[in-house]
Amino acid sequence: MSVLPATSETIAAAGERLRAGGLVAFPTETVYGLGADATNGRAVAAIYTAKGRPRFNPLIVHVADLDSARALAVFCPRAERIAAAFWPGAVTLVLPRRTEATVADLVTAGLETIAVRVPAHRLALALLAATGRPLAAPSANRSGRISPTTAAHVASDLGERVDVILDGGPCAIGVESAIVDLSGDRPALLRPGGIAGGAIETVLGERLDRMVKVDPQRPVAPGQLESHYAPAARVRLQASVAFPGEGLLAFGSDEPAHGGPVVNLSPGGDLAEAAANLFGALRRLDATGVAGIAVVAIPSEGLGEAINDRLLRAAAPRPQ
Ligand code: TXA
Ligand code: MG
């Protein structure tokens, strides 16, 4: 594995590796992706091996532009509106897959729908151009771990399991894309993410159905949420203080006093800054060796919905 600063030469070389069936981790504006040629079933299979994913979850297909997305998926008027408003950007659309779409069946896990997105990061777009193929890319972490927002996170998680890591610095948004399912009668937000659900609703002029109601005030029933995005430390939400042995994940100016490790996601109370810092902050607190992480209440508006979704999953009961 080599971590390479992203330059026109390293991007061209990474494109060659992808065309030859290799795995390349690359920055997007949300999180780092673990990319493979979406038209090559063996390359896509290697993603699952590298991540240690137990099941074949369908993957997001990244494309260079709207026309490339239209070649893979059937666009409805709602899809056109969202793409016009937010692409390139942090929203993924789940749409009916075109029968003639050239992606490997493993990418869609045999579904009749496909998840597509045009990323906004200039290096992701340069890599797509260099490869000339759609790229299947889940977040570049091992299954169940926190999504990576720096090249160093990718290297520590995947190491030799990936051929090349393109280093483009920290990701600006820091949480994964919002996923909107437009394949049914009603539009549904499958995953809150880097574009706020409310902003998408404004563009659509209608409400999105939500799969998981993210209400940090209400306890989550065990089993309601799959454990995911999990640090090693136990995560405790809605904390007004941190106990000895815990790290504190704070937000805003009203930070509880704590003798142990503290990371404030945004002392100024900015939810976009908090989203960008979230996964790195969980990793930093985890690296101190604390047994638990106490997380203060974070407002659920705007990007707060995505932040609270990830925190709920980090706090959900773990398998075993
Ligand atoms: O920001 C992001 O979306 C990042 C960057 C790398 O682009 N990618 C990412 O991919 O988060 P991943 O694989 O970690 O998450 C993909 C999600 C999964 O929850 C999967 O179930 C859902 O997308 N998905 C993919 N195809 C789908 C489909 N046809 N129907 C429903 N859900 C789908
Ligand atoms: Mg992921």
Side-chain angles (χ1 to χ4, degrees), residues 28 30-33 53 58-60 62 92 94 111 113-115 117 137-139 176-177 179 190-191:
T28 81
T30 58
V31 300
Y32 275 70
R53 257 199 194 176
L59 303 174
I60 296 173
H62 298 69
T92 294
V94 173
L111 297 173
T113 53
I114 186 168
R117 126 171 154 89
S139 50
E176 300 86 342
S177 60
I179 303 181
L190 298 185
R191 176 175 79 182

Side-chain angles (χ1 to χ4, degrees), residues 220 222 225-231 233-238 282 293 295 308-318:
V220 183
L225 280 177
E226 226 181 313
S227 169
H228 202 22
Y229 309 102
R234 208 158 276 289
V235 176
R236 189 167 65 82
L237 304 179
Q238 300 294 314
L282 287 170
I293 298 174
V295 186
N308 281 305
D309 171 85
R310 304 308 186 270
L311 287 170
L312 277 170
R313 287 171 202 279
R318 313 275 166 88

Side-chain angles (χ1 to χ4, degrees), residues 58-96:
L59 303 174
I60 296 173
V61 178
H62 298 69
V63 289
D65 51 37
L66 181 53
D67 277 341
S68 308
R70 288 198 190 103
L72 301 176
V74 181
F75 273 63
C76 55
R78 286 178 179 126
E80 294 289 352
R81 291 175 87 140
I82 293 176
F86 300 114
W87 279 1
V91 59
T92 294
L93 298 176
V94 173
L95 298 169

